[in-house]
Amino acid sequence: MGSIFSPRFAVKLNLWAAFLVLAMLLTVPVRSTVVIALLFLYSVVYWVKNRSAIKLDGYDYIVFACLSGYMISNVPAFIMEDFRFRYFGGPINMVMCIPIYVVAKHSIRTEDVPRFRDYMEWGLIIGSAGALVLAMYQTQWLGMRRADGFLFSINFGYLASALTFLSLTMVRGSKRKGLLLFASLFGAVAVLLTLTRGAIFALPLLFFLSLFMNLKKIGVTKVLALFSVFIIGSGLVYTLSSSVQNRMKYTVEEVIHIVSGDVEDATSSGARLYMWLAAYEAFRERPLIGLTYTEREALNRELYEQGRNIHEVAVSSRGHAHSQYFENLATGGLIGILAVFGYLLLPGIYHIRCYYRDRTNHYSMVAAVFCAGFALYCLTEVALQQEMINAFYAYLNVLLLIFSLRHQQDKESSVREVAYA
């Protein structure tokens, strides 16, 4: 029984978990959260059995703080609403990744990382292809206006975008560049078929960020060529797809309404603006910890009666803010904003810093683009309140962080060997 909780078995288990999480993400009705939950249970027992061999340091506690910040920021509201678990539905998935991180850091060696890359690349290829097949089936065969897979179309769009740029950024140094490029293209098309504006608008931004971070590696000429291909491809998509044209037209009309001061006529974007204003009012009511969901619902109705809100916001469940940042501001207050910085912004900042200190640290570049994507998705959606997205985001961050650390340690070891030679 002891061998099951050995570092070598843990690596094998984590290899298959990494593959399955990516391959299953959008392709099957069984959520990849199941894989992460089982890995969590295994990791807890592994940690207990190997507790004498596992040594934690200050760096680990910073990671723990980032992964638990979301849940901690919701504790006051949880207590004030008679211990209702709904405040922990999403955040608890991040906390579950703490033992997964501990076990991964203890068991994964530098020489294991290439194997993880192989498993992850195949997971991305299968997952992206499956997402496209499902999106095509729903929109072209079933006649659905928007692909939604086994989720809501918005969530499907964000996760398809995440697969797109994981595939694209993994191309560098890969043995299967062509397949990953196709996987990236498959993911992007799946995003378009969801008509999710937040994910669609993130596509060019993340594409240009990926090019910029690889500018020295691929050269200015290739960057300009890829930029041109992207512009031409975008033009073709717009020309050939009436759905994309209608979505863009609708967005332009909403912007015109908002600029003209007719916010209520901007049905979708206008409602979001009112939701953000309502979230800010909730923050003003109790700046340190924010309001509970019930209090926010009551506040939204009061704002509507005062003519400072619209009906859609007044009847929204939980006082939904339609933005991760405003959501944590409204329920969480200043503690919530600190938590957002820790779990949503700090990881990306850390990886950008690592990458620009060492441009051979490919995994920090992948993680930086991955984190930037979620920072964008969360502008207009409370994406990390959804359990599967939360678990996927935290789990991938943990894996990419371990790979980045192993790269740094390997390089430092090589430098020491040269110095002593």
Side-chain angles (χ1 to χ4, degrees):
M1 191 71 177
S3 62
I4 296 177
F5 298 101
S6 67
R8 291 301 86 203
F9 187 87
V11 167
K12 291 178 182 178
L13 196 63
N14 273 280
L15 283 168
W16 282 105
F19 167 78
L20 289 172
V21 165
L22 293 167
M24 293 171 55
L25 187 67
L26 297 174
T27 54
V28 295
V30 178
R31 298 196 171 189
S32 57
T33 317
V34 173
V35 177
I36 297 172
L38 292 173
L39 188 60
F40 159 73
L41 295 174
Y42 170 83
S43 298
V44 169
V45 179
Y46 180 104
W47 192 354
V48 171
K49 285 185 171 292
N50 293 277
R51 58 189 179 278
S52 59
I54 294 174
K55 306 298 180 185
L56 303 178
D57 54 30
Y59 186 94
D60 297 323
Y61 290 114
I62 293 173
V63 174
F64 294 174
C66 290
L67 289 172
S68 59
Y70 191 3
M71 187 166 176
I72 290 171
S73 71
N74 278 357
V75 167
F78 169 72
I79 294 172
M80 288 188 291
E81 275 222 320
D82 300 324
F83 308 99
R84 298 187 68 179
F85 188 75
R86 62 179 179 169
Y87 290 95
F88 296 154
I92 199 170
N93 292 281
M94 283 187 177
V95 176
M96 286 169 57
C97 285
I98 289 177
I100 293 174
Y101 162 80
V102 170
V103 172
K105 189 181 179 188
H106 181 254
S107 61
I108 298 173
R109 301 173 301 190
T110 302
E111 53 267 35
D112 296 320
V113 175
R115 292 178 65 203
F116 271 92
R117 177 170 188 152
D118 288 339
Y119 276 69
M120 289 178 67
E121 286 181 1
W122 281 115
L124 286 167
I125 292 162
I126 294 170
S128 299
L132 177 60
V133 169
L134 184 56
M136 291 287 288
Y137 171 72
Q138 290 184 326
T139 56
Q140 307 306 308
W141 182 263
L142 298 181
M144 294 170 57
R145 192 175 75 88
R146 302 175 65 174
D148 58 15
F150 303 103
L151 307 165
F152 292 113
S153 57
I154 292 175
N155 295 335
F156 188 91
Y158 290 140
L159 290 174
S161 178
L163 291 180
T164 297
F165 290 99
L166 281 169
S167 300
L168 183 63
T169 51
M170 291 287 274
V171 167
R172 178 175 151 187
S174 174
K175 294 179 289 187
R176 43 192 76 85
K177 290 182 172 64
L179 289 174
L180 285 172
L181 283 171
F182 273 113
S184 180
L185 179 61
F186 294 160
V189 175
V191 171
L192 293 173
L193 292 175
T194 68
L195 298 179
T196 302
R197 287 183 296 176
I200 292 172
F201 291 149
L203 290 179
L205 297 175
L206 294 174
F207 180 76
F208 298 143
L209 176 62
S210 302
L211 289 184
F212 180 76
M213 295 191 76
N214 287 280
L215 183 61
K216 288 191 175 181
K217 182 71 177 179
I218 61 180
V220 176
T221 304
K222 287 185 179 178
V223 166
L224 291 175
L226 289 169
F227 178 82
S228 301
V229 169
F230 183 86
I231 296 298
I232 293 170
S234 299
L236 285 172
V237 169
Y238 181 81
T239 303
L240 297 174
S241 174
S242 59
S243 297
V244 173
Q245 290 174 21
N246 293 334
R247 201 66 172 154
M248 289 298 295
K249 181 182 177 182
Y250 176 66
T251 302
V252 171
E253 289 173 351
E254 287 204 316
V255 171
I256 293 171
H257 284 307
I258 292 171
V259 172
S260 303
D262 304 320
V263 180
E264 292 185 31
D265 291 330
T267 312
S268 178
S269 302
R272 279 176 169 81
L273 289 176
Y274 277 113
M275 288 175 177
W276 298 347
L277 289 171
Y280 177 67
E281 290 297 328
F283 166 72
R284 289 181 60 191
E285 290 285 318
R286 194 183 290 138
L288 181 60
I289 59 174
L291 302 182
T292 66
Y293 293 147
T294 302
E295 289 173 329
R296 286 171 60 189
E297 289 172 350
L299 176 62
N300 287 355
R301 289 192 293 269
E302 183 181 328
L303 291 172
Y304 177 63
E305 290 169 2
Q306 295 172 1
R308 298 167 58 194
N309 216 327
I310 59 176
H311 183 262
E312 182 181 343
V313 180
V315 299
S316 63
S317 175
R318 302 185 181 187
H320 187 67
H322 237 301
S323 165
Q324 191 73 43
Y325 304 95
F326 280 102
E327 184 68 26
N328 278 101
L329 183 72
T331 297
L334 293 173
I335 297 174
I337 289 302
L338 183 62
V340 167
F341 178 78
Y343 71 75
L344 192 55
L345 301 179
L346 186 60
I349 294 170
Y350 168 81
H351 284 295
I352 289 172
R353 179 174 174 271
C354 285
Y355 180 67
Y356 280 102
R357 289 179 63 184
D358 176 12
R359 290 177 184 270
T360 65
N361 194 339
H362 171 252
Y363 295 104
S364 272
M365 185 270 291
V366 175
V369 176
F370 178 75
C371 291
F374 277 89
L376 288 173
Y377 312 146
C378 288
L379 285 171
T380 56
E381 184 56 58
V382 193
L384 297 179
Q385 200 173 56
Q386 208 276 345
E387 289 88 346
M388 191 172 81
I389 297 179
N390 188 302
F392 172 71
Y393 171 76
Y395 177 66
L396 261 292
N397 257 310
V398 162
L399 277 187
L400 292 171
L401 176 61
I402 297 297
F403 301 158
S404 175
L405 288 174
R406 291 293 173 262
H407 176 90
Q408 294 174 44
Q409 291 165 358
D410 184 53
K411 189 153 189 178
E412 289 168 3
S413 173
S414 300
V415 169
R416 282 196 296 270
E417 288 177 5
V418 171
Y420 288 123

